[in-house]
Amino acid sequence: MAMEFGLLGTIEARLDGRSADMGHMRQRCVLAALLLDVNREVAVDALIGRVWGDHAPQRVKGTLYGYLSRLRRALVNAPEVAISRRPGGYVLEADPLSVDLHLFRDLVGRARTADDARAAPLMREALELWRGEPFTGVDTPWFNDLRQALERERFSADAHDVDIRLRAGQHGELLPGLTTLADAHPLDERLTAQIMLALYRAGRTADALNCYQAIRRRLAHELGADPGRPLRDLHRRILADDPALALPRAAPPRSRPAETTTKPPPPRQLPAPPAHFIGRDAELAVLDKALTTRAGLRTTMPLAVICGTGGIGKTSLALHWAHSRNEHFPDGQLFADLRGFTPSGEPVDPFTVIRGFLDALGVAPGLVPVTPDAQAALYRSLLTDRHMLVVLDNTSNTEQILPLLPGTPTCTVLITSRDQLTGLTASHQVAHLTVNGFDPTTARQLLAGRLGAERVAAEPAAATALVDQCAGLPLALSVLAARVTTNPVRTLTALTEELRESSTRLDALGTGESATDVRTVISSSYRALAPEAAQVFRQLVQAPGPDIGRPAATSLTGLAPARTHTALERLRASHLIQEHAPGRFSCHDLLRAYAVEVVSSAGGAEGRATRIRVLDHYLHTAWSADRLLHPHRDPIGLSRAADGVRPEALATHEQAMAWFAREHPALVTAVNEAARHGHDVHAWQLAWSLTTFLTRRGQWSDVARVHTTALTAAARLGDTAARTESLRALAWERIEAGDHDSAQEHLTRALSLARDGGQALSEAHTRLALGWLHEHTGDRAAALRHDNQAVRLFRQLGHPAGLARALNAVAWDHLQQGDHRQAVAHCEQAMTIQEELGDLRGQSNTLDTLGHAHQQLGEHSLALACHRRGLALHRVLGHRSNEAETLVHLGETHRAMGERDAARRILEQALDIYRDIEAHPSRRERARALLDALDTDDTAAR
């Protein structure tokens, strides 16, 4: 069996002409690194440097050995190829000419020493080996440098081939390609000479002379030099109309068939429709509405833009629609791939496309105008009154589109692009359609359509996981289906394991072909960005949580708000991020995985600075928001925010609650990310700043999550005060969960730390927490003892807010012991202090205790008044748990007053809240028991 290897494009292998699976991208990089030195030893360290660059992971040698082992297994059916271990490294033994790069060099070398008759086919064969950019999708320094060197080799071979073809009289065929090549190499004098000679032989002497003047001006402006002697000599000979520049006249043909005037058939240039098209009913309906208006009613040309990220299925949608609506376009369809985001080449010049369209429309070569503008005018004239569809696929920008638009309302234009093409929408009437990823149901149907419903049904959990890991991207799903189809022994479960690690997910989605390799498709969008937008894309991956708001993004980038806004809009227009809600941005997991790879290859300095800025943004804004929620809480001191950070300015309690609710997922994640990257101060201070909001919302699992992380961070810092804060928060969460033993353990540690450190204020707060714990365990004497000690400490410290809170705790202890008048007295002392301070949170809690005391004394009207005032304050403060508790007390009061309907309505409200928050089941059971008691009361009353 014959094995062939390809490096001049995607890295691939073929066995007897059929594709052979060499594994994911990184594994194929190892193969390429060995093939470049085929039959020569490559040291292990050199292999690692080629494949991973300066960012090799830990235990990279073990990973490399695993890749080599799998490559050996993949090559088992090719006995002429072997990977052998040598003392200093590895060698791949094979016929060098089985590698397209080595074959290319051999053919070019033979062509350079042969006459034109033998050189032409050799050079043509060599250049046809190139399938695109060498090592497509690989991005390491060694491969990037080698890629540039190989591109120079190809350019030199192209130039030699042009010389051969010019001598053969093929100047007319060469001109379009040479002109496009000159745009990329504007100072290359050999290329300019070839263009001048081709123009001269095509009878375009003036254009040839203008070409010389253009490069002369460029050389003078950019290099301060004149053209070299060969180019000056050619210019002089063209001015003199030197006969030696002309080709010998060819002998006339013996006979020529008569010219025919038969009208050419309508062009039908659409590629084949997608074989596995699924879903997109809503999108097809939008296209129908926008593009199939009856021609007689049109006053403007129907024009639609399908945009979306790479691999989302834009071209498939366009082709499916175009083929299924063929009857609307009796005069034909024109199609052009403009290669706006093609990894292996530059965007196509629109005038090159127009030249091809003129050929398709039957214009004889001799009738094609010389200038591009005249060609475009002829193209528009030919389409006048024709009912044609023009599909412009993979567009880079508006400028590329404008020359290709017909000028007649009878034609329809359908455009696909990764860019929003805002400029086109501003200047034309455009139906704009953004294509998103598949929902889980449709994604699963795509897998079933590719693999068969039985295959998907056999591994349902794995199929669900694959759908989730591919983020609904049709290309990713199709790649996975192809990997299973081409290797029947591969299971869906095995694929999920490959995709589980986000750091290698894109490797598992590689195909070795640039058009379908997910990493390469994403990379082509990224490489099309301006430098600042590309930097912001890299920085956004440092954002914690599922999305980021514009203010946080501004701090993250460190740019001025206007520049951040511009970069975000550019990324949104390129579909590298989505604005899923006004001012909030996210990207799907595969884009995030690519961004992580780019950040890793760029080095750590940029990432660290970005991470600190976004953590500072969240910390300083959260600290200020917490002060609005709980102004009488003992504050912590913050360090100055990093340069470029702009914390959000929040002015009211309502704004603070709304901000916490909006940023809650990112804030919880930020605590973990801060600790994971060694920013321990950020970790515990963020957790501290979140506590008020989380406890008011009853989100106790998040309290446990952030303070478990904060406690570890505080221990690393040796910060005793921070440790006691987190221990108390964790104890409150355990009390709510009914785990009193763990709560006791946390508070005992906190009390010991506070006392050993001489932190009287911390001790006072811990005593209050111990009092609440003993209240829950039923040890009311211990509860009163701790709460009285808290009163003593707060009074000694001159801490009025803490003193009032402790007095309320003592009041509750007396209430539980049946001393209702003492409870009222302590509540009144607390209320006096809290009203002077304007402490609404303290008043709300004290009013609940006071109302309960009045109720126990039979003073129901006073109880109702207290509970209603407390309830209103809890709602203003957003304290959901206390709101539910007060509703229960209010329901009890209404029941005691015989107002069962009011009690029932209020208790149902309490149950609704308990269902929304993470309340301990005993709280719900108590409210439910009171409702059941009301039913019993109703029965007894009847």
Side-chain angles (χ1 to χ4, degrees), residues 73-105:
R73 290 198 298 270
L75 296 168
V76 69
N77 291 323
E80 76 279 11
V81 181
I83 298 176
S84 302
R85 184 75 164 96
R86 298 289 172 83
Y90 288 87
V91 61
L92 190 151
E93 300 169 355
D95 178 2
L97 299 186
S98 67
V99 184
D100 59 0
L101 170 58
H102 301 308
L103 178 59
F104 165 77
R105 287 170 170 168

mmCIF file of all heavy atoms in Angstrom, residues 73-105:
data_model
loop_
_atom_site.group_PDB
_atom_site.id
_atom_site.type_symbol
_atom_site.label_atom_id
_atom_site.label_comp_id
_atom_site.label_asym_id
_atom_site.label_seq_id
_atom_site.Cartn_x
_atom_site.Cartn_y
_atom_site.Cartn_z
ATOM 1 N N ARG A 73 0.582 3.412 15.220
ATOM 2 C CA ARG A 73 -0.593 2.561 14.946
ATOM 3 C C ARG A 73 -1.303 3.009 13.672
ATOM 4 O O ARG A 73 -1.801 2.184 12.898
ATOM 5 C CB ARG A 73 -1.556 2.597 16.132
ATOM 6 C CG ARG A 73 -1.030 1.884 17.367
ATOM 7 C CD ARG A 73 -2.153 1.550 18.347
ATOM 8 N NE ARG A 73 -2.803 2.742 18.845
ATOM 9 C CZ ARG A 73 -2.398 3.393 19.945
ATOM 10 N NH1 ARG A 73 -1.340 2.967 20.619
ATOM 11 N NH2 ARG A 73 -3.041 4.453 20.360
ATOM 12 N N ALA A 74 -1.364 4.319 13.442
ATOM 13 C CA ALA A 74 -2.039 4.826 12.246
ATOM 14 C C ALA A 74 -1.289 4.454 10.974
ATOM 15 O O ALA A 74 -1.885 4.368 9.890
ATOM 16 C CB ALA A 74 -2.185 6.351 12.341
ATOM 17 N N LEU A 75 0.030 4.222 11.089
ATOM 18 C CA LEU A 75 0.859 3.905 9.925
ATOM 19 C C LEU A 75 1.095 2.407 9.758
ATOM 20 O O LEU A 75 1.909 1.989 8.935
ATOM 21 C CB LEU A 75 2.211 4.614 10.047
ATOM 22 C CG LEU A 75 2.169 6.149 10.033
ATOM 23 C CD1 LEU A 75 3.512 6.719 10.453
ATOM 24 C CD2 LEU A 75 1.774 6.652 8.648
ATOM 25 N N VAL A 76 0.371 1.586 10.512
ATOM 26 C CA VAL A 76 0.648 0.155 10.526
ATOM 27 C C VAL A 76 0.402 -0.492 9.166
ATOM 28 O O VAL A 76 1.046 -1.491 8.811
ATOM 29 C CB VAL A 76 -0.191 -0.541 11.629
ATOM 30 C CG1 VAL A 76 -1.673 -0.532 11.267
ATOM 31 C CG2 VAL A 76 0.307 -1.955 11.874
ATOM 32 N N ASN A 77 -0.515 0.077 8.359
ATOM 33 C CA ASN A 77 -0.823 -0.505 7.043
ATOM 34 C C ASN A 77 0.106 0.008 5.941
ATOM 35 O O ASN A 77 -0.120 -0.288 4.774
ATOM 36 C CB ASN A 77 -2.274 -0.207 6.668
ATOM 37 C CG ASN A 77 -3.241 -0.968 7.558
ATOM 38 O OD1 ASN A 77 -2.993 -2.107 7.936
ATOM 39 N ND2 ASN A 77 -4.354 -0.336 7.905
ATOM 40 N N ALA A 78 1.112 0.794 6.310
ATOM 41 C CA ALA A 78 2.073 1.300 5.325
ATOM 42 C C ALA A 78 3.462 0.813 5.715
ATOM 43 O O ALA A 78 4.211 1.505 6.416
ATOM 44 C CB ALA A 78 2.031 2.829 5.279
ATOM 45 N N PRO A 79 3.835 -0.392 5.320
ATOM 46 C CA PRO A 79 5.113 -0.980 5.780
ATOM 47 C C PRO A 79 6.334 -0.189 5.326
ATOM 48 O O PRO A 79 7.400 -0.315 5.932
ATOM 49 C CB PRO A 79 5.097 -2.376 5.164
ATOM 50 C CG PRO A 79 4.114 -2.302 4.038
ATOM 51 C CD PRO A 79 3.081 -1.294 4.438
ATOM 52 N N GLU A 80 6.199 0.622 4.282
ATOM 53 C CA GLU A 80 7.352 1.382 3.818
ATOM 54 C C GLU A 80 7.612 2.621 4.673
ATOM 55 O O GLU A 80 8.593 3.341 4.456
ATOM 56 C CB GLU A 80 7.146 1.808 2.353
ATOM 57 C CG GLU A 80 6.165 2.973 2.142
ATOM 58 C CD GLU A 80 4.703 2.558 2.150
ATOM 59 O OE1 GLU A 80 4.410 1.396 2.530
ATOM 60 O OE2 GLU A 80 3.857 3.380 1.767
ATOM 61 N N VAL A 81 6.736 2.890 5.634
ATOM 62 C CA VAL A 81 6.880 4.052 6.514
ATOM 63 C C VAL A 81 7.050 3.548 7.937
ATOM 64 O O VAL A 81 6.320 2.659 8.386
ATOM 65 C CB VAL A 81 5.645 4.978 6.420
ATOM 66 C CG1 VAL A 81 5.835 6.189 7.328
ATOM 67 C CG2 VAL A 81 5.411 5.414 4.982
ATOM 68 N N ALA A 82 8.001 4.144 8.673
ATOM 69 C CA ALA A 82 8.221 3.717 10.066
ATOM 70 C C ALA A 82 8.728 4.898 10.870
ATOM 71 O O ALA A 82 9.477 5.754 10.371
ATOM 72 C CB ALA A 82 9.221 2.568 10.136
ATOM 73 N N ILE A 83 8.309 4.938 12.139
ATOM 74 C CA ILE A 83 8.839 5.915 13.091
ATOM 75 C C ILE A 83 9.715 5.150 14.079
ATOM 76 O O ILE A 83 9.227 4.267 14.797
ATOM 77 C CB ILE A 83 7.711 6.648 13.836
ATOM 78 C CG1 ILE A 83 6.846 7.447 12.852
ATOM 79 C CG2 ILE A 83 8.277 7.574 14.904
ATOM 80 C CD1 ILE A 83 5.652 8.136 13.486
ATOM 81 N N SER A 84 10.996 5.489 14.095
ATOM 82 C CA SER A 84 11.955 4.727 14.899
ATOM 83 C C SER A 84 12.556 5.606 15.991
ATOM 84 O O SER A 84 12.759 6.812 15.802
ATOM 85 C CB SER A 84 13.096 4.204 14.014
ATOM 86 O OG SER A 84 12.576 3.406 12.969
ATOM 87 N N ARG A 85 12.845 4.961 17.116
ATOM 88 C CA ARG A 85 13.500 5.643 18.240
ATOM 89 C C ARG A 85 15.001 5.556 18.039
ATOM 90 O O ARG A 85 15.547 4.499 17.727
ATOM 91 C CB ARG A 85 13.117 4.964 19.573
ATOM 92 C CG ARG A 85 13.679 5.660 20.818
ATOM 93 C CD ARG A 85 12.907 6.927 21.121
ATOM 94 N NE ARG A 85 13.143 7.424 22.460
ATOM 95 C CZ ARG A 85 14.028 8.373 22.785
ATOM 96 N NH1 ARG A 85 14.805 8.883 21.847
ATOM 97 N NH2 ARG A 85 14.125 8.807 24.028
ATOM 98 N N ARG A 86 15.697 6.672 18.171
ATOM 99 C CA ARG A 86 17.145 6.733 18.095
ATOM 100 C C ARG A 86 17.686 7.265 19.420
ATOM 101 O O ARG A 86 16.928 7.842 20.215
ATOM 102 C CB ARG A 86 17.574 7.633 16.928
ATOM 103 C CG ARG A 86 17.113 7.135 15.569
ATOM 104 C CD ARG A 86 17.862 5.882 15.130
ATOM 105 N NE ARG A 86 17.289 5.312 13.916
ATOM 106 C CZ ARG A 86 17.576 5.735 12.693
ATOM 107 N NH1 ARG A 86 18.414 6.742 12.525
ATOM 108 N NH2 ARG A 86 17.038 5.157 11.640
ATOM 109 N N PRO A 87 18.990 7.126 19.679
ATOM 110 C CA PRO A 87 19.534 7.582 20.974
ATOM 111 C C PRO A 87 19.219 9.047 21.276
ATOM 112 O O PRO A 87 18.969 9.411 22.422
ATOM 113 C CB PRO A 87 21.041 7.346 20.823
ATOM 114 C CG PRO A 87 21.138 6.228 19.830
ATOM 115 C CD PRO A 87 20.013 6.429 18.863
ATOM 116 N N GLY A 88 19.212 9.869 20.247
ATOM 117 C CA GLY A 88 18.988 11.291 20.506
ATOM 118 C C GLY A 88 17.608 11.783 20.184
ATOM 119 O O GLY A 88 17.304 12.964 20.387
ATOM 120 N N GLY A 89 16.741 10.940 19.622
ATOM 121 C CA GLY A 89 15.417 11.414 19.259
ATOM 122 C C GLY A 89 14.668 10.401 18.421
ATOM 123 O O GLY A 89 14.743 9.185 18.683
ATOM 124 N N TYR A 90 13.957 10.876 17.387
ATOM 125 C CA TYR A 90 13.132 10.017 16.547
ATOM 126 C C TYR A 90 13.392 10.336 15.087
ATOM 127 O O TYR A 90 13.774 11.462 14.723
ATOM 128 C CB TYR A 90 11.646 10.238 16.847
ATOM 129 C CG TYR A 90 11.209 9.685 18.185
ATOM 130 C CD1 TYR A 90 11.325 10.439 19.348
ATOM 131 C CD2 TYR A 90 10.688 8.390 18.289
ATOM 132 C CE1 TYR A 90 10.953 9.936 20.585
ATOM 133 C CE2 TYR A 90 10.302 7.877 19.511
ATOM 134 C CZ TYR A 90 10.433 8.651 20.654
ATOM 135 O OH TYR A 90 10.045 8.133 21.858
ATOM 136 N N VAL A 91 13.160 9.333 14.236
ATOM 137 C CA VAL A 91 13.294 9.513 12.803
ATOM 138 C C VAL A 91 12.098 8.852 12.118
ATOM 139 O O VAL A 91 11.669 7.762 12.506
ATOM 140 C CB VAL A 91 14.627 8.921 12.278
ATOM 141 C CG1 VAL A 91 14.704 7.419 12.535
ATOM 142 C CG2 VAL A 91 14.802 9.212 10.795
ATOM 143 N N LEU A 92 11.552 9.531 11.118
ATOM 144 C CA LEU A 92 10.488 8.954 10.293
ATOM 145 C C LEU A 92 11.125 8.511 8.984
ATOM 146 O O LEU A 92 11.679 9.345 8.244
ATOM 147 C CB LEU A 92 9.377 9.967 10.049
ATOM 148 C CG LEU A 92 8.109 9.386 9.395
ATOM 149 C CD1 LEU A 92 6.878 10.189 9.824
ATOM 150 C CD2 LEU A 92 8.178 9.380 7.876
ATOM 151 N N GLU A 93 11.070 7.217 8.719
ATOM 152 C CA GLU A 93 11.686 6.649 7.520
ATOM 153 C C GLU A 93 10.618 6.464 6.454
ATOM 154 O O GLU A 93 9.598 5.807 6.682
ATOM 155 C CB GLU A 93 12.340 5.306 7.872
ATOM 156 C CG GLU A 93 13.431 5.425 8.935
ATOM 157 C CD GLU A 93 13.874 4.057 9.462
ATOM 158 O OE1 GLU A 93 13.250 3.053 9.060
ATOM 159 O OE2 GLU A 93 14.807 4.013 10.265
ATOM 160 N N ALA A 94 10.850 7.079 5.294
ATOM 161 C CA ALA A 94 9.893 6.993 4.193
ATOM 162 C C ALA A 94 10.570 7.495 2.931
ATOM 163 O O ALA A 94 11.660 8.091 2.966
ATOM 164 C CB ALA A 94 8.644 7.826 4.504
ATOM 165 N N ASP A 95 9.934 7.265 1.789
ATOM 166 C CA ASP A 95 10.408 7.816 0.525
ATOM 167 C C ASP A 95 10.188 9.324 0.565
ATOM 168 O O ASP A 95 9.051 9.787 0.726
ATOM 169 C CB ASP A 95 9.607 7.202 -0.627
ATOM 170 C CG ASP A 95 10.028 7.763 -1.978
ATOM 171 O OD1 ASP A 95 10.961 8.594 -2.030
ATOM 172 O OD2 ASP A 95 9.398 7.388 -2.986
ATOM 173 N N PRO A 96 11.235 10.143 0.423
ATOM 174 C CA PRO A 96 11.051 11.601 0.492
ATOM 175 C C PRO A 96 10.023 12.120 -0.515
ATOM 176 O O PRO A 96 9.309 13.076 -0.227
ATOM 177 C CB PRO A 96 12.450 12.158 0.200
ATOM 178 C CG PRO A 96 13.377 11.060 0.616
ATOM 179 C CD PRO A 96 12.654 9.776 0.277
ATOM 180 N N LEU A 97 9.943 11.481 -1.675
ATOM 181 C CA LEU A 97 9.020 11.961 -2.699
ATOM 182 C C LEU A 97 7.563 11.604 -2.392
ATOM 183 O O LEU A 97 6.660 11.979 -3.136
ATOM 184 C CB LEU A 97 9.416 11.411 -4.069
ATOM 185 C CG LEU A 97 10.808 11.831 -4.556
ATOM 186 C CD1 LEU A 97 11.034 11.356 -5.987
ATOM 187 C CD2 LEU A 97 10.983 13.343 -4.474
ATOM 188 N N SER A 98 7.339 10.876 -1.274
ATOM 189 C CA SER A 98 5.958 10.645 -0.839
ATOM 190 C C SER A 98 5.429 11.831 -0.035
ATOM 191 O O SER A 98 4.256 11.867 0.322
ATOM 192 C CB SER A 98 5.876 9.376 0.017
ATOM 193 O OG SER A 98 6.561 9.541 1.254
ATOM 194 N N VAL A 99 6.301 12.808 0.239
ATOM 195 C CA VAL A 99 5.923 14.030 0.963
ATOM 196 C C VAL A 99 5.825 15.157 -0.044
ATOM 197 O O VAL A 99 6.802 15.434 -0.771
ATOM 198 C CB VAL A 99 6.959 14.364 2.059
ATOM 199 C CG1 VAL A 99 6.514 15.574 2.873
ATOM 200 C CG2 VAL A 99 7.197 13.157 2.955
ATOM 201 N N ASP A 100 4.675 15.821 -0.127
ATOM 202 C CA ASP A 100 4.467 16.797 -1.196
ATOM 203 C C ASP A 100 5.507 17.919 -1.181
ATOM 204 O O ASP A 100 5.920 18.412 -2.239
ATOM 205 C CB ASP A 100 3.047 17.365 -1.170
ATOM 206 C CG ASP A 100 2.677 18.067 0.129
ATOM 207 O OD1 ASP A 100 3.520 18.136 1.042
ATOM 208 O OD2 ASP A 100 1.519 18.532 0.235
ATOM 209 N N LEU A 101 5.973 18.342 -0.014
ATOM 210 C CA LEU A 101 6.982 19.405 0.037
ATOM 211 C C LEU A 101 8.281 18.965 -0.618
ATOM 212 O O LEU A 101 8.868 19.702 -1.433
ATOM 213 C CB LEU A 101 7.231 19.810 1.498
ATOM 214 C CG LEU A 101 8.418 20.741 1.746
ATOM 215 C CD1 LEU A 101 8.273 22.034 0.959
ATOM 216 C CD2 LEU A 101 8.578 21.032 3.234
ATOM 217 N N HIS A 102 8.754 17.768 -0.301
ATOM 218 C CA HIS A 102 10.014 17.289 -0.896
ATOM 219 C C HIS A 102 9.836 17.018 -2.393
ATOM 220 O O HIS A 102 10.752 17.261 -3.187
ATOM 221 C CB HIS A 102 10.478 16.031 -0.173
ATOM 222 C CG HIS A 102 10.715 16.251 1.298
ATOM 223 N ND1 HIS A 102 11.509 17.260 1.779
ATOM 224 C CD2 HIS A 102 10.230 15.586 2.394
ATOM 225 C CE1 HIS A 102 11.518 17.221 3.109
ATOM 226 N NE2 HIS A 102 10.745 16.210 3.502
ATOM 227 N N LEU A 103 8.653 16.549 -2.766
ATOM 228 C CA LEU A 103 8.376 16.346 -4.193
ATOM 229 C C LEU A 103 8.357 17.684 -4.924
ATOM 230 O O LEU A 103 8.884 17.806 -6.043
ATOM 231 C CB LEU A 103 7.034 15.622 -4.354
ATOM 232 C CG LEU A 103 6.556 15.379 -5.791
ATOM 233 C CD1 LEU A 103 7.589 14.537 -6.569
ATOM 234 C CD2 LEU A 103 5.198 14.676 -5.802
ATOM 235 N N PHE A 104 7.767 18.698 -4.302
ATOM 236 C CA PHE A 104 7.739 20.047 -4.900
ATOM 237 C C PHE A 104 9.161 20.532 -5.164
ATOM 238 O O PHE A 104 9.483 21.023 -6.264
ATOM 239 C CB PHE A 104 7.009 21.001 -3.953
ATOM 240 C CG PHE A 104 7.213 22.457 -4.269
ATOM 241 C CD1 PHE A 104 6.543 23.058 -5.327
ATOM 242 C CD2 PHE A 104 8.085 23.234 -3.505
ATOM 243 C CE1 PHE A 104 6.736 24.408 -5.614
ATOM 244 C CE2 PHE A 104 8.280 24.582 -3.790
ATOM 245 C CZ PHE A 104 7.603 25.172 -4.849
ATOM 246 N N ARG A 105 10.039 20.401 -4.199
ATOM 247 C CA ARG A 105 11.413 20.879 -4.371
ATOM 248 C C ARG A 105 12.147 20.090 -5.459
ATOM 249 O O ARG A 105 12.932 20.659 -6.230
ATOM 250 C CB ARG A 105 12.148 20.780 -3.038
ATOM 251 C CG ARG A 105 11.687 21.836 -2.027
ATOM 252 C CD ARG A 105 12.240 21.590 -0.641
ATOM 253 N NE ARG A 105 12.000 22.724 0.250
ATOM 254 C CZ ARG A 105 12.176 22.700 1.559
ATOM 255 N NH1 ARG A 105 12.585 21.570 2.153
ATOM 256 N NH2 ARG A 105 11.947 23.766 2.291
#
